[in-house]
Amino acid sequence: MSRGSGGGYDRHITIFSPEGRLYQVEYAFKAVKAAGITSIGVRGADSVCVVTQKKVPDKLLDQTSITHLFPITKYLGLLATGMTADARTLVQQARNEAAEFRFRYGYEMPVDALARWIADKSQVYTQHAYMRPLGVVAMILGIDEEKGPQLFKCDPAGHFFGHKATSAGGKEQEAINFLEKKMKNDPAFSYEETVQTAISALQSVLQEDFKASEIEVGVVRKDDPVFKVLSTEEIDEHLTAISERD
Amino acid sequence: MGDSQYSFSLTTFSPSGKLVQIEHALTAVGSGQTSLGIKAANGVVIATEKKLPSILVDETSVQKIQILTPNIGVVYSGMGPDSRVLVRKSRKQAEQYYRLYKEPIPVTQLVRETATVMQEFTQSGGVRPFGVSLLVAGYDDKGPQLYQVDPSGSYFSWKASAMGKNVSNAKTFLEKRYTEDMELDDAVHTAILTLKEGFEGQISGKNIEIGVIGNDKIFRVLTSSEIEDYLQEVE
């Protein structure tokens, strides 16, 4: 005779429920959505672009201190969607790991290696009861020496995949539907097209036109493989290009 | 093991003598994507569905079938992240064996050590069992071998086996089709037909993975074009 819902603990720590699910991991996904921010990432032929909302809840807050885009090394960027505090821990550990990798092996940590490391750490939290899963979905971008532009997404369950385009956060599913239509025929986007697809996807899904100060944009380009956060002026140029195009 | 304050096991006996956490882990395996393995007279083949959550996912970034040693490969059904942990531990154990004995690890030994790890997670403090079953395919001095390891840590040698969503149909199909003197090529065809039985949608070289090991004792994953060739032969 099975003991029903595992004594009730299957909702508190990451042990299996009778259906073979991990409720804590599922709740972590909900926490990512609850943060109320949507992010989008698009991989082009020679660049990768990530975009996220910049919501400043209080006018008295210093806007420059609010960010979800973090450089991990000069060449790798991370966009964290979800709980800010959990994101900071993740970023701190990722920066440490990438620096150690560079020291240990003598070359820069590749994108997929970092994504795998983050995903493996997240998996540990789903299996050991003493730590809860992090409420963060991380998008990692960089230029791989052999494979070119790469965009990876890691989630609280420990999954990680390479993506041609993806989304995370409140309006994740709507954004993915939008992007699936755009990327259906494997288009090879130029840098401008990549950035504009990402920004217009966000605008379309949230049904509002942004000002440059309301979004954050991060890019890596093959001809300049450093991770760059675009300035308000650069974002404005792209926003103008999008509105002129429409 | 024993994590910090959790010096007690989370997997405990129910009044009827069952370990419910392991049962739940098996349920998690049962809702995973179908995978199967067939032992032929001159080799072993393992195969799995590779259904990705969206067309936006880059399928070249995902490989479910993994190499543990040059002559041993593994596929899983269940939770992908858990399988990565086991693959990493198994690879390390194989290397440690080689360092000690200067001989490649026999398939049975590697399976036993992996199974021991899985059992430890059903008894140690503060951890849950792995939500995967593994099919290990190898070829060593004892010939071709296929083992299935469950979340409980129990393992058996199989002539052919399947796991995941479509397990009962797949096993019935395999029981009908299996012969002791099958060649590796026939086994690959049978594997594809078995996967096709329960496949939702159009099967192609991009949404299944196949790994083989033959007399050459080298485990390799087939490319999507090689799979397409086999698919055409099967049509």
Side-chain angles (χ1 to χ4, degrees), chain B residues 77-113:
Chain B
S77 271
M79 305 168 71
D82 285 10
S83 78
R84 287 203 309 269
V85 175
L86 289 169
V87 165
R88 174 169 286 143
K89 286 197 201 264
S90 305
R91 284 173 175 166
K92 193 157 187 190
Q93 282 161 342
E95 276 303 310
Q96 286 170 340
Y97 184 99
Y98 183 80
R99 200 183 75 170
L100 185 53
Y101 298 109
K102 276 293 183 265
E103 255 187 34
I105 188 169
V107 185
T108 44
Q109 301 271 47
L110 186 56
V111 169
R112 184 183 313 151
E113 294 196 11

Side-chain angles (χ1 to χ4, degrees), chain A:
Chain A
M1 188 166 321
S2 83
R3 229 199 318 165
S5 65
Y9 287 107
D10 52 350
R11 292 190 186 265
H12 296 284
I13 49 177
T14 59
I15 56 176
F16 284 112
S17 75
E19 303 87 41
R21 292 155 62 183
L22 295 173
Y23 281 120
Q24 274 295 299
V25 175
E26 296 182 17
Y27 297 161
F29 276 96
K30 290 214 180 120
V32 173
K33 283 205 186 297
I37 305 261
T38 303
S39 315
I40 298 207
V42 177
R43 182 183 85 187
D46 54 11
S47 60
V48 188
C49 173
V50 290
V51 178
T52 184
Q53 290 172 268
K54 187 163 172 163
K55 275 197 190 162
V56 185
D58 193 330
K59 283 209 199 97
L60 293 173
L61 278 167
D62 181 355
Q63 298 153 316
T64 57
S65 72
I66 295 194
T67 178
H68 292 88
L69 270 177
F70 304 94
I72 304 296
T73 67
K74 214 163 105 176
Y75 309 99
L76 294 176
L78 190 152
L79 170 59
T81 313
M83 298 168 66
T84 336
D86 285 6
R88 285 191 193 277
T89 329
L90 183 63
V91 166
Q92 193 63 15
Q93 293 172 348
R95 284 173 173 165
N96 191 53
E97 180 59 25
E100 277 188 17
F101 187 102
R102 172 66 182 81
F103 176 71
R104 223 182 282 146
Y105 301 113
Y107 70 98
E108 291 293 331
M109 191 169 199
V111 196
D112 60 335
L114 180 62
R116 182 186 306 267
W117 184 84
I118 291 178
D120 284 347
K121 222 162 200 274
S122 308
Q123 191 280 339
V124 172
Y125 301 147
T126 73
Q127 195 165 25
H128 293 251
Y130 69 105
M131 286 202 77
R132 60 165 175 83
L134 292 177
V136 182
V137 166
M139 281 191 224
I140 308 175
L141 60 160
I143 306 288
D144 185 282
E145 276 179 9
E146 296 167 18
K147 301 179 202 151
Q150 296 279 292
L151 171 67
F152 278 85
K153 185 167 84 164
C154 310
D155 62 25
H159 287 116
F160 80 104
F161 293 121
H163 287 264
K164 301 168 196 169
T166 188
S167 166
K171 297 265 177 187
E172 175 179 339
Q173 199 45 53
E174 291 90 335
I176 290 188
N177 295 343
F178 181 95
L179 291 166
E180 279 184 357
K181 284 195 210 110
K182 285 263 171 167
M183 312 281 291
K184 207 163 38 178
N185 302 317
D186 262 329
F189 286 140
S190 69
Y191 169 67
E192 283 77 21
E193 287 172 319
T194 309
V195 179
Q196 283 164 28
T197 307
I199 297 179
S200 53
L202 197 60
Q203 291 191 151
S204 148
V205 153
L206 295 168
Q207 283 166 349
E208 52 176 286
D209 282 327
F210 293 116
K211 293 202 279 280
S213 57
E214 293 172 340
I215 57 175
E216 285 186 280
V217 183
V219 296
V220 279
R221 306 175 62 166
K222 226 178 187 170
D223 43 357
D224 185 20
V226 288
F227 174 69
K228 218 165 73 100
V229 178
L230 296 188
S231 65
T232 355
E233 292 83 31
E234 290 167 311
I235 300 180
D236 246 325
E237 282 176 21
H238 289 286
L239 284 168
T240 326
I242 293 175
S243 50
E244 281 175 9
R245 195 190 60 195
D246 298 334

Side-chain angles (χ1 to χ4, degrees), chain B residues 158-174:
Chain B
W158 290 82
K159 298 173 192 170
S161 183
M163 337 183 283
K165 256 187 239 168
N166 205 31
V167 61
S168 41
N169 288 342
K171 280 201 171 169
T172 321
F173 192 88
L174 286 171

Side-chain angles (χ1 to χ4, degrees), chain B residues 56-78:
Chain B
L56 295 173
V57 174
D58 184 354
E59 75 274 359
T60 60
S61 75
V62 183
Q63 192 175 293
K64 288 177 70 174
I65 298 185
Q66 294 285 328
I67 299 183
L68 296 181
T69 71
N71 64 325
I72 306 177
V74 67
V75 72
Y76 71 92
S77 271

Side-chain angles (χ1 to χ4, degrees), chain B:
Chain B
M1 216 152 294
D3 289 322
S4 337
Q5 281 98 23
Y6 282 88
S7 56
F8 54 91
S9 176
L10 299 172
T11 306
T12 51
F13 285 108
S14 73
S16 59
K18 284 200 212 156
L19 290 168
V20 271
Q21 275 297 300
I22 298 181
E23 312 255 325
H24 300 337
L26 284 162
T27 315
V29 171
S31 45
Q33 292 180 10
T34 312
S35 58
L36 55 95
I38 304 177
K39 184 171 70 177
N42 59 340
V44 192
V45 58
I46 49 178
T48 180
E49 287 182 358
K50 187 161 105 166
K51 290 256 180 68
L52 297 168
S54 160
I55 55 162
L56 295 173
V57 174
D58 184 354
E59 75 274 359
T60 60
S61 75
V62 183
Q63 192 175 293
K64 288 177 70 174
I65 298 185
Q66 294 285 328
I67 299 183
L68 296 181
T69 71
N71 64 325
I72 306 177
V74 67
V75 72
Y76 71 92
S77 271
M79 305 168 71
D82 285 10
S83 78
R84 287 203 309 269
V85 175
L86 289 169
V87 165
R88 174 169 286 143
K89 286 197 201 264
S90 305
R91 284 173 175 166
K92 193 157 187 190
Q93 282 161 342
E95 276 303 310
Q96 286 170 340
Y97 184 99
Y98 183 80
R99 200 183 75 170
L100 185 53
Y101 298 109
K102 276 293 183 265
E103 255 187 34
I105 188 169
V107 185
T108 44
Q109 301 271 47
L110 186 56
V111 169
R112 184 183 313 151
E113 294 196 11
T114 309
T116 307
V117 170
M118 292 172 82
Q119 189 283 336
E120 279 171 1
F121 274 71
T122 68
Q123 200 175 13
S124 301
V127 290
R128 61 162 175 81
F130 284 96
V132 284
S133 281
L134 301 175
L135 272 173
V136 182
Y139 201 129
D140 60 18
D141 299 328
K142 299 208 181 67
Q145 292 160 77
L146 177 67
Y147 285 91
Q148 180 173 331
V149 196
D150 285 334
S152 59
S154 59
Y155 63 94
F156 296 101
S157 175
W158 290 82
K159 298 173 192 170
S161 183
M163 337 183 283
K165 256 187 239 168
N166 205 31
V167 61
S168 41
N169 288 342
K171 280 201 171 169
T172 321
F173 192 88
L174 286 171
E175 278 175 20
K176 280 194 212 117
R177 291 263 179 150
Y178 183 81
T179 61
E180 298 272 339
D181 52 1
M182 253 181 158
E183 296 263 315
L184 187 53
D185 255 5
D186 301 326
V188 177
H189 288 134
T190 309
I192 291 178
L193 287 169
T194 318
L195 274 180
K196 224 176 166 193
E197 277 288 298
F199 203 88
E200 285 163 21
Q202 180 71 353
I203 201 171
S204 82
K206 290 210 178 147
N207 50 23
I208 60 171
E209 261 183 44
I210 302 183
V212 292
I213 181 164
N215 287 330
D216 57 357
K217 295 195 194 165
I218 301 203
F219 183 85
R220 61 187 201 88
V221 180
L222 300 182
T223 64
S224 50
S225 37
E226 286 172 309
I227 298 181
E228 288 287 346
D229 292 339
Y230 275 107
L231 277 168
Q232 295 201 346
E233 288 172 24
V234 152
E235 292 292 321

